[in-house]
Amino acid sequence: MKLLRYGPAGQEKPGLLDASGTIRDLSGVVPDIAGDVLSPEGLKKLAALDPASLPAAPAGVRIGPPTSGMKNLVCIGLNYADHAAETGAPVPKEPIVFLKSLGALAGPNDDVIIPKNSVKTDWEVELCIVIGTKAKCVSEEQALDHVAGYAVGNDVSEREWQIERGGSWDKGKGCDTFGPVGPWLVTRDEVPDPQNLSMFLEVDGKRMQNGSTRTMIFGVKTIVSYVSHMITLHPGDVIFTGTPPGVGLGLKPPVFLKAGQSMRLGIEGLGEQTQRTVAYEG
């Protein structure tokens, strides 16, 4: 299944995408794509529905982040061997874990706001893991049992704030709109091998990233297990799993985003996002 949330920001309704590409309204069935709805039992109930029996959403409606009620927006850094190489960083011996502010969460096609005084805002297409059931100190063998599915993410990053201004990476990662996720959550049964998915990102129509989850250093099972030993993961939580090469920081000379540009990105079987960059106004 492809589950999603649609409507104005803060007023999203639950939905699913049917085989014809029509968004079907689930608000008469479940209150939101959150909590127990993401459990194996909850997903089984949704899978048993006849999509044709559900009302269609209005055409052209905004799509929001695919889950609600999350407690954690977790990220893994330098998790692709080829991306580590382009940045000149050593391959990590353990996953690098950092957090985005929940305020960074955005819909897949929402505008990305270039922060005030930013000079090095960058792009990163990433596979996102969506947690379905609470995970605390789980083994790698148990890890996928706690995964509801996967989604496309853009780990937008301000590199000067992340790297050059001291402290943790978080300050360059958690800005408003820096975490677009979606367009939908694709349930785990439709992604038999999350370690073999092609992915891309374009800026103003120019292909910048071409990669595959095959080059991830730490795979989905390892990431979920590892993070669960430090942070209790809850239904609806999202884990960004790292990016392949082709980010602006890695180009020679580096290239960064400016207001008025567009990004288009996608992952095989998980859909695409399109964002416009806009200047901060305030």
Side-chain angles (χ1 to χ4, degrees):
M1 283 184 298
K2 294 179 175 66
L3 301 175
L4 56 96
R5 299 170 66 250
Y6 70 93
Q11 303 175 42
E12 293 92 345
K13 295 181 178 181
L16 64 79
L17 193 74
D18 70 16
S20 71
T22 300
I23 296 174
R24 298 287 180 170
D25 182 14
L26 282 172
S27 59
V29 182
V30 295
D32 209 340
I33 308 299
D36 290 343
V37 173
L38 293 165
S39 70
E41 297 77 14
L43 295 177
K44 186 177 180 180
K45 290 178 181 178
L46 294 183
L49 295 172
D50 176 9
S53 69
L54 302 170
V61 70
R62 171 188 174 270
I63 299 177
T67 65
S68 178
M70 68 174 57
K71 296 180 182 295
N72 299 292
L73 195 54
V74 184
C75 302
I76 307 299
L78 294 174
N79 194 33
Y80 282 67
D82 36 10
H83 172 55
E86 76 170 344
T87 63
V91 173
K93 295 180 180 179
E94 294 190 29
I96 296 173
V97 179
F98 61 94
L99 300 174
K100 279 185 179 285
S101 163
L102 294 182
L105 186 68
N109 304 314
D110 291 348
D111 290 345
V112 167
I113 300 170
I114 304 293
K116 184 178 181 180
N117 300 323
S118 165
V119 293
K120 295 183 179 180
T121 295
D122 203 351
W123 57 84
E124 292 189 6
V125 60
E126 304 204 4
L127 173 70
C128 286
I129 304 166
V130 181
I131 299 300
T133 57
K134 182 178 177 180
K136 176 67 174 178
C137 295
V138 301
S139 67
E140 290 193 21
E141 292 72 26
Q142 299 169 318
L144 291 186
D145 295 338
H146 297 272
V147 174
Y150 305 94
V152 181
N154 189 355
D155 178 18
V156 186
S157 309
E158 214 300 342
R159 302 300 191 186
E160 181 189 27
W161 302 2
Q162 174 192 356
I163 299 169
E164 300 173 33
R165 294 180 61 176
S168 72
W169 286 7
D170 296 30
K171 65 176 70 174
K173 295 285 192 170
C175 305
D176 293 348
T177 74
F178 269 27
V181 179
W184 29 77
L185 156 64
V186 180
T187 51
R188 186 161 57 91
D189 59 295
E190 294 193 7
V191 188
D193 186 2
Q195 306 306 152
N196 189 26
L197 302 174
S198 60
M199 54 208 305
F200 76 92
L201 183 144
E202 297 174 353
V203 177
D204 292 338
K206 181 178 180 181
R207 186 65 59 98
M208 307 304 291
Q209 289 186 277
N210 261 323
S212 170
T213 57
R214 290 191 304 270
T215 65
M216 286 172 66
I217 299 166
F218 305 104
V220 170
K221 293 179 181 179
T222 299
I223 290 169
V224 172
S225 174
Y226 187 89
V227 172
S228 79
H229 282 76
M230 300 161 185
I231 299 170
T232 300
L233 296 169
H234 297 269
D237 284 358
V238 171
I239 305 176
F240 284 75
T241 62
T243 197
V247 300
L249 177 68
L251 300 176
K252 302 187 185 314
V255 174
F256 300 106
L257 293 166
K258 299 177 181 179
Q261 294 188 288
S262 66
M263 291 180 281
R264 185 172 76 93
L265 56 148
I267 298 177
E268 179 183 355
L270 303 184
E272 296 185 2
Q273 305 180 351
T274 302
Q275 294 117 24
R276 181 175 63 114
T277 57
V278 299
Y280 170 80
E281 295 182 3

